[in-house]
Amino acid sequence: MLKFTDVWKSYGDTKAVAGITLEIRRGEIFGLLGPNGAGKSTAVHLAVGALIPDRGTVAIGEHGDPSLPDVRARIGIAPQAISLYESLTAEENLTFFGRLYRLHGVQLREKIDAALRFVALIDRRRDQVKTYSGGMKRRLNLAAAVLHEPELILLDEPSVGVDPQSRNLIFENILHLREQGRTVVYTTHYMEEAQRLCDRVGIMDFGKLLAVGSVSELLTQQGGKTALVVTTDGTEIRMETDDPLGELNRLAAVAPVADFRLERSTLEQVFLNLTGRKLRD
Amino acid sequence: MLTILALAQKDLRILIRYKSGLFFTLIWPLLVAVMFGTIFSGESGQRAKIKVAIVDEDATTESGRFAARLEKSGEFEAVRANQDQGISLVRRARLTAVILIAKGFGEASGRLFYGTPPQVEVWIDPSRKAEAGMLQGLLQKHAAARMQSLLSDRANSRTMIARALKEIDAAPASGDKAVLGRFLGELDRFLAAPSDNPANAEMGSWQPLEVVEKAVARGTAGPAPRSSFEITFPQGILWGIIGCIMTFGIGIVTERTLGTMTRLQMSPSSRFQLLAGKALACFTALVVLQSGMFLIGRWIFHVRPQSWILVMMAAFSSAAAFVGIMMLVSVLGKTEQAAAGAGWAIMMPIAMLGGGMLPLFFMPSWMAAASHFSPAKWAILAMEGAIWRGFSLREMLLPCGILIVVGITCFLAGTRAFQRNLT
């Protein structure tokens, strides 16, 4: 659905994207993970044709170059900044964005209703956006991205500054989009979100794509072994092992086990192993 | 085209909701036009009097009469004081000037056509030079009126001539003495002649200069505004135009800082469409602003354009010029504050040089010459041409053509810089 082939993009001496090759499949939720400044937003801008690569190609399925207006019309985007007009109502914002995507008349009104229902803002449709909470603005930002029913939806850090209730609602919306067969690219620096939502993830740092795969694949390949933590005779013992049950049995045979737990590796650990530093350094 | 219309409609809707922007675009220019129009027309009440202290150091009948004449004239708000008190009041900016009637005023008043003239000293606040000129003119006027009054009284005039002839006789011999003696003798004989002589009868009403003030009326030959509002409305409209383009220019910067520009860039709209939508919204707002101001001027303030077609030419060409300038303002800064600061720093001299603050004739010659480079000057000239200067269609082509060229040039430069900012 979205294909990067050896894509490079620099701002002056800074390489924002350095030789990315990646193919995102139709109907999947793909997480693009990395700390701030990793190059995720630049990759998103390249994907919608708002930036032209210095080298390499970006293609949207069989449609090709996303800098072409007709190709861009198949993409929806919720930028990281809340890109709405605060003095306009939700309905006026969506009407405006819908018209940019060539929607008119009854069709536009129906899609606005559907989008507002989708993000649970139908009751606030005639309120100016400046009266909304941060979470409501994020949801409307998402509604503007899906209004024209695009094949590919790019969500750039959609949960930043959002209350837990709105965050859950946004997650449900994203999962619902997958059920509808849409392709979603989700950038975030919250690994737990990626683990919860994404079919596959790509980890970026300093403009490079360090690893790509499903969450379980990355955990297995890059996350290290599962850790067994056992409390015995008032002492806590932590050991990494491929066979936690066997290790537990061996320990129980030697001394009574008061407590134990398993610590599975996380994407946070994967990032640490790949880059040598924590995600939020 | 539908995309451009959608963009323009959105920007106009935001303008309507943006209260302070709307105030500076629509209400402020109207206030400027009405305020200055009222001041220039004198409809705000009586013309301000010059505040003076009158110091009569001579203390003679003649100096007393002259002081009383000044007080009664209605042109001064006068207080009597001694010299020190008067100067102190001027220094503290309570008065504009001290008029000091010097010693010897009364005696000098009795001399006709010879000797030292009656003297008045004027101690003026140096920061009020404009009023100093007016004050001198008023004093000369009252001196002439005093002279007229003296000559209107035959007996008094003949007494003065007799005294003068006596003093001339006593003076040492010279060529001037003989000439002046002959002149005064002839004048005395003229005054002694019977009053039924027609020339003699008119003497009582003789003045050195009679100034007849006439109001210019509609239909008078030559260019002339029919009301002071016809002068001030173009200035008010100019300020409205500036307010409007600042609102739109900063609005584009806001779109960049808030991120809505990112979404617009990522939509299927081309950059040309984005910029054309912005330009159309600004152009529409400027045309509506100017039309509204002209209509308010017409209905309420009796601003009667000589040709509505020429008015529309002026409005469209001014709008074109300032839409281009708006595009330049939008790339002046990366934040709203930076763009606003830089924008006003450019717009203020443009407005000042163009006659938006002061009439061009108040400016030094080099500034008047520099005004040719201000689009504000050509916008005001085009509007004045359509309202009261009586421009023909051909005469309108120069200011309107310059405005359109300025608009296209600025738009292309601003668009180029804007696109560079986006990439």
Side-chain angles (χ1 to χ4, degrees):
Chain A
M1 182 70 216
L2 171 61
K3 191 172 181 180
F4 290 82
T5 308
D6 192 26
V7 174
W8 295 74
K9 181 70 187 176
S10 299
Y11 298 109
D13 294 334
T14 308
K15 288 187 174 63
V17 168
I20 287 182
T21 296
L22 170 69
E23 185 165 1
I24 294 170
R25 298 167 195 150
R26 192 176 294 274
E28 73 173 340
I29 300 176
F30 186 88
L32 206 49
L33 311 184
N36 292 326
K40 306 187 298 291
S41 292
T42 302
V44 167
H45 282 65
L46 288 163
V48 288
L51 288 175
I52 307 297
D54 299 335
R55 214 166 78 197
T57 57
V58 180
I60 305 295
E62 65 276 18
H63 311 297
D65 184 358
S67 65
L68 300 171
D70 285 342
V71 178
R72 229 184 296 171
R74 298 170 185 276
I75 308 170
I77 180 160
Q80 188 173 346
I82 292 175
S83 309
L84 301 166
Y85 298 99
E86 297 242 321
S87 56
L88 302 185
T89 66
E91 194 167 34
E92 287 167 344
N93 266 286
L94 295 184
T95 301
F96 168 64
F97 290 120
R99 288 173 71 185
L100 291 190
Y101 283 87
R102 303 158 189 173
L103 298 172
H104 300 282
V106 178
Q107 188 194 24
L108 175 60
R109 285 196 291 278
E110 285 174 357
K111 288 192 189 294
I112 289 171
D113 285 349
L116 287 172
R117 258 188 227 103
F118 182 63
V119 294
L121 286 172
I122 192 84
D123 296 336
R124 299 289 304 271
R125 62 190 302 161
R126 292 198 173 88
D127 293 342
Q128 288 185 19
V129 173
K130 64 184 172 192
T131 65
Y132 283 16
S133 69
M136 290 162 75
K137 287 177 185 174
R138 279 275 167 217
R139 279 148 53 197
L140 187 59
N141 208 31
L142 176 64
V146 301
L147 175 71
H148 57 292
E149 297 182 352
E151 296 169 37
L152 172 65
I153 301 159
L154 300 161
L155 307 177
D156 196 0
E157 306 265 8
S159 63
V160 170
V162 170
D163 58 279
Q165 191 184 351
S166 286
R167 180 179 286 121
N168 285 333
L169 195 58
I170 289 170
F171 290 167
E172 285 171 24
N173 290 150
I174 292 166
L175 293 170
H176 191 61
L177 288 171
R178 180 174 58 187
E179 287 167 20
Q180 292 174 350
R182 318 281 180 81
T183 307
V184 178
V185 177
Y186 185 100
T187 78
T188 182
H189 59 272
Y190 295 122
M191 295 293 170
E192 57 275 28
E193 288 183 6
Q195 277 184 284
R196 175 175 168 181
L197 291 173
C198 299
D199 301 308
R200 286 195 309 146
V201 294
I203 294 179
M204 280 190 81
D205 198 24
F206 293 117
K208 290 184 177 164
L209 193 60
L210 303 177
V212 180
S214 67
V215 173
S216 59
E217 281 169 358
L218 287 178
L219 292 177
T220 305
Q221 292 163 12
Q222 309 287 345
K225 294 173 180 172
T226 301
L228 173 66
V229 182
V230 177
T231 306
T232 175
D233 294 335
T235 308
E236 191 173 271
I237 302 166
R238 187 177 188 282
M239 61 186 74
E240 288 186 354
T241 173
D242 290 329
D243 182 16
L245 188 58
E247 285 295 336
L248 185 61
N249 282 331
R250 275 193 291 279
L251 281 171
V254 178
V257 173
D259 191 19
F260 75 91
R261 67 178 188 278
L262 286 175
E263 284 184 357
R264 298 193 63 189
S265 60
T266 61
L267 285 175
E268 194 85 41
Q269 185 65 41
V270 171
F271 186 80
L272 180 65
N273 292 345
L274 284 168
T275 65
R277 61 196 179 95
K278 288 188 175 175
L279 186 59
R280 294 179 184 89
D281 278 352
Chain B
M1 191 62 200
L2 288 174
T3 301
I4 295 171
L5 287 175
L7 282 155
Q9 190 184 25
K10 179 266 297 176
D11 278 342
L12 291 171
R13 187 169 271 155
I14 288 172
L15 176 69
I16 290 166
R17 303 247 167 100
Y18 176 42
K19 290 190 177 62
S20 60
L22 201 62
F23 173 82
F24 282 108
T25 303
L26 297 177
I27 310 298
W28 172 248
L30 195 60
L31 291 177
V32 169
V34 172
M35 185 175 71
F36 283 108
T38 306
I39 291 168
F40 292 155
S41 68
E43 286 171 14
S44 60
Q46 282 189 314
R47 187 175 296 168
K49 296 175 180 177
I50 302 177
K51 291 181 178 178
V52 294
I54 297 176
V55 180
D56 185 359
E57 281 201 334
D58 192 45
T60 58
T61 311
E62 269 311 308
S63 67
R65 273 189 200 151
F66 186 67
R69 180 189 291 278
L70 296 181
E71 285 174 323
K72 285 180 191 164
S73 69
E75 288 149 342
F76 301 102
E77 191 178 316
V79 293
R80 292 293 184 116
N82 64 36
Q83 186 176 2
D84 290 341
Q85 288 169 335
I87 288 173
S88 171
L89 288 167
V90 172
R91 189 176 50 74
R92 285 182 281 146
R94 305 277 291 276
L95 300 177
T96 303
V98 175
I99 299 172
L100 188 147
I101 305 172
K103 280 201 170 103
F105 182 94
E107 190 181 342
S109 298
R111 297 191 197 107
L112 209 53
F113 307 120
Y114 76 102
T116 311
Q119 200 178 60
V120 167
E121 293 173 15
V122 176
W123 298 71
I124 187 87
D125 181 337
S127 68
R128 307 178 80 156
K129 291 254 169 72
E131 282 168 285
M134 192 187 291
L135 187 56
Q136 277 202 17
L138 288 171
L139 287 172
Q140 293 290 357
K141 178 182 119 178
H142 287 289
R146 189 185 65 84
M147 187 83 162
Q148 180 195 353
S149 165
L150 285 174
L151 292 174
S152 303
D153 184 339
R154 278 162 192 278
N156 189 36
S157 298
R158 293 195 69 199
T159 306
M160 283 168 62
I161 290 168
R163 183 184 153 202
L165 287 170
K166 200 173 162 186
E167 287 183 10
I168 288 165
D169 279 345
S174 73
D176 289 347
K177 177 179 166 178
V179 171
L180 191 57
R182 271 202 306 280
F183 169 69
L184 289 173
E186 288 299 320
L187 183 59
D188 187 48
R189 272 191 289 285
F190 174 75
L191 290 168
S195 60
D196 57 354
N197 181 335
N200 204 352
E202 284 172 7
M203 187 179 167
S205 58
W206 180 84
Q207 298 174 48
L209 176 69
E210 185 182 16
V211 177
V212 182
E213 194 173 314
K214 289 189 175 179
V216 174
R218 192 177 184 86
T220 308
R226 291 168 294 264
S227 119
S228 55
F229 292 109
E230 294 192 346
I231 298 171
T232 59
F233 260 70
Q235 289 177 319
I237 289 170
L238 175 71
W239 283 108
I241 288 173
I242 290 173
C244 189
I245 65 163
M246 288 300 292
T247 302
F248 273 94
I250 293 167
I252 293 178
V253 181
T254 306
E255 290 237 29
R256 284 208 302 267
T257 56
L258 289 184
T260 44
M261 186 58 75
T262 308
R263 198 191 280 277
L264 297 185
Q265 276 180 266
M266 294 176 179
S267 74
S269 318
S270 66
R271 284 185 182 169
F272 168 77
Q273 286 174 316
L274 296 182
L275 296 173
K278 292 278 172 203
L280 178 63
C282 187
F283 186 87
T284 306
L286 290 177
V287 170
V288 168
L289 158 77
Q290 294 180 79
S291 305
M293 285 282 289
F294 276 120
L295 289 175
I296 290 170
R298 173 73 185 85
W299 286 331
I300 302 173
F301 298 100
H302 310 297
V303 174
R304 286 169 293 175
Q306 289 174 345
S307 160
W308 283 102
I309 292 171
L310 297 188
V311 164
M312 291 319 289
M313 270 180 77
F316 276 78
S317 54
S318 301
F322 282 90
V323 163
I325 294 170
M326 182 273 292
M327 284 307 299
L328 278 183
V329 168
S330 74
V331 295
L332 287 175
K334 291 196 171 174
T335 64
E336 291 93 327
Q337 291 86 349
W344 280 113
I346 290 174
M347 295 316 300
M348 294 297 269
I350 283 180
M352 196 179 80
L353 281 176
M357 293 179 187
L358 283 174
L360 291 175
F361 61 82
F362 272 140
M363 297 179 186
S365 57
W366 70 267
M367 280 181 80
S371 73
H372 295 314
F373 296 98
S374 167
K377 177 236 171 94
W378 298 106
I380 287 180
L381 185 65
M383 286 185 254
E384 287 178 346
I387 298 173
W388 61 267
R389 284 187 187 275
F391 275 15
S392 65
L393 191 63
R394 195 172 171 179
E395 286 168 321
M396 282 293 279
L397 289 179
L398 177 67
C400 293
I402 288 173
L403 288 168
I404 288 168
V405 169
V406 166
I408 291 170
T409 308
C410 291
F411 187 81
L412 292 176
T415 301
R416 195 168 173 178
F418 179 80
Q419 293 197 327
R420 204 167 45 232
N421 282 356
L422 287 182
T423 50

